[in-house]
Amino acid sequence: MAYPQPMDVVSGEQYRYALANFRIAHEKVEEQRRQLEEQEKQVALLRARISLLEGTADTSSQPTTKQGGTSVDDFSIKNAASQLERLMNRWAADVVRTPPTSLSDIYLAALVDITGSAAYDTLPPDGATAIQVQNILRHALSEVISAEIVNVLMVTNSADANIQLTRIHEHLFARNPVVAGVWRRQTFSAAVESCSSELATSILEEQLPTLLKRLGEHTSGISPILASAHTFSRMLHSSPATGGGGGADAFYRSFVPEIGSQLFPRQIELVRRCLKSECGDVDRVGTSVFPGLVKVSRGSNNGDNVQTVVRRAQVMCECALNAVTELAPQ
């Protein structure tokens, strides 16, 4: 004989209590869901506002511009730097091919502007060679581009105003790198498109006064180089460059190893083999034929500036620079 199974029966009061608790829990979950949706909307609005301030709004629906656009990467830097380097090398080769005066005079003039002094006893017995003059010219241009164009915010055609703007950026960066980055990109959105001939002449007369007197008609060939350098600098400073832990904004600075300084492998790249280094001997910088580039960001621990080498300086060592002179008598 089968007996009916006993049924679990609760009182009406217990049922109403459980139902009330379930309704309360459901309402709390729904409230949390609405809060999360509202938070996501606020975050999206904040990101859109930041993108608008940085000039990078709607990047998801627009193609990313590598050079002079909304982003800058190592490939863009390498490509733009290579174009500028070719212009510098071509101009220096033209000067050596048809020199307006003796190669030794050109070499000493460049050395005077670079180091502040030079004498004929610094030359080899047979005078400066073509390779020495070509590379010292590239070194002189590298220092001008580094000090006067890349490391200065070229926003206006006034050198004094550009220096003041650079100091303002440094002051802002010391306080808040993100604010400095937004300010820098907004400032460059209204910057001059090109370096004026007056500003270029002023820079050259200040940095290379002795060399200009020896170059003759070749002086006109420097203007396209400075224009290309201005485009390169504008690409670096007007585009977002995020780095350094915590998403701190960063910016770029250029450097040129000094003639006669020690060779640091992390900072320099030799354009020719260094026989002394391969033999374990100490060699030094002969000339820097193209500037190096570092990304400056704020450290996450102590807040000090951190410099990361993005592109090593192109350098010819002393032994490679003097190789032609040393082998000539043989």
Side-chain angles (χ1 to χ4, degrees):
M1 181 175 178
Y3 294 94
Q5 296 293 331
M7 297 178 61
D8 293 333
V9 180
V10 297
S11 64
E13 182 180 355
Q14 289 177 326
Y15 174 76
R16 286 188 294 272
Y17 176 77
L19 185 62
N21 285 341
F22 175 78
R23 186 181 298 111
I24 292 172
H26 178 74
E27 290 175 351
K28 287 184 177 180
V29 170
E30 185 65 18
E31 182 181 358
Q32 290 177 351
R33 185 185 66 81
R34 287 195 297 267
Q35 289 177 351
L36 288 175
E37 287 182 349
E38 184 63 25
Q39 288 178 358
E40 290 178 354
K41 291 180 181 178
Q42 294 298 326
V43 170
L45 289 173
L46 181 60
R47 287 177 176 172
R49 181 60 179 169
I50 292 174
S51 297
L52 181 62
L53 290 173
E54 292 183 339
T56 59
D58 297 329
T59 54
S60 59
S61 60
Q62 297 177 359
T64 302
T65 304
K66 294 300 182 182
Q67 181 172 341
T70 58
S71 67
V72 60
D73 54 23
D74 292 345
F75 177 78
S76 303
I77 293 173
K78 181 179 180 180
N79 187 40
S82 297
Q83 295 178 10
L84 177 58
E85 186 176 359
R86 284 195 295 269
L87 284 177
M88 295 167 60
N89 188 42
R90 189 180 301 120
W91 173 79
D94 289 341
V95 174
V96 172
R97 190 178 301 111
T98 57
T101 183
S102 70
L103 294 179
S104 295
D105 286 342
I106 298 174
Y107 182 89
L108 288 175
L111 197 60
V112 167
D113 290 333
I114 293 170
T115 64
S117 63
Y120 277 93
D121 56 7
T122 61
L123 293 172
D126 296 331
T129 63
I131 189 173
Q132 289 174 330
V133 174
Q134 182 173 346
N135 284 280
I136 199 73
L137 290 175
R138 294 177 66 182
H139 185 105
L141 286 181
S142 295
E143 290 205 346
V144 171
I145 291 171
S146 177
E148 299 296 329
I149 297 181
V150 176
N151 291 346
V152 175
L153 300 184
M154 298 283 288
V155 180
T156 72
N157 280 320
S158 169
D160 293 336
N162 292 337
I163 293 174
Q164 291 299 323
L165 291 171
T166 304
R167 290 174 179 172
I168 292 173
H169 175 261
E170 292 174 351
H171 179 72
L172 291 174
F173 188 84
R175 292 193 170 189
N176 192 318
V178 177
V179 172
V182 173
W183 177 88
R184 184 180 66 250
R185 288 187 286 276
Q186 286 295 299
T187 302
F188 263 92
S189 66
V192 293
E193 293 291 336
S194 60
C195 179
S196 68
S197 58
E198 293 79 8
L199 180 58
T201 301
S202 175
I203 291 174
L204 291 176
E205 289 178 348
E206 180 180 354
Q207 297 295 320
L208 304 176
T210 310
L211 183 59
L212 289 181
K213 298 176 181 178
R214 301 288 189 275
L215 290 178
E217 61 182 11
H218 290 292
T219 303
S220 59
I222 304 180
S223 296
I225 298 174
L226 296 185
S228 178
H230 180 270
T231 302
F232 180 58
S233 176
R234 185 183 177 88
M235 178 195 71
L236 294 175
H237 296 313
S238 62
S239 303
T242 303
D249 193 85
F251 69 100
Y252 293 97
R253 286 188 65 84
S254 177
F255 68 95
V256 178
E258 295 182 359
I259 294 176
S261 62
Q262 188 175 350
L263 297 174
F264 293 103
R266 293 184 179 181
Q267 299 179 4
I268 64 100
E269 179 180 350
L270 294 174
V271 296
R272 290 198 178 189
R273 291 177 56 188
C274 180
L275 300 179
K276 283 189 175 181
S277 297
E278 292 179 0
C279 296
D281 296 333
V282 177
D283 199 6
R284 298 187 178 278
V285 175
T287 55
S288 299
V289 297
F290 195 80
L293 199 65
V294 297
K295 181 185 289 186
V296 183
S297 58
R298 296 299 296 275
S300 56
N301 296 328
N302 52 15
D304 294 335
N305 289 348
V306 177
Q307 297 189 2
T308 304
V309 178
V310 177
R311 178 182 169 87
R312 292 182 293 174
Q314 306 294 298
V315 168
M316 181 172 285
C317 63
E318 288 182 345
C319 71
L321 192 63
N322 297 326
V324 176
T325 302
E326 294 174 354
L327 294 175
Q330 298 179 358

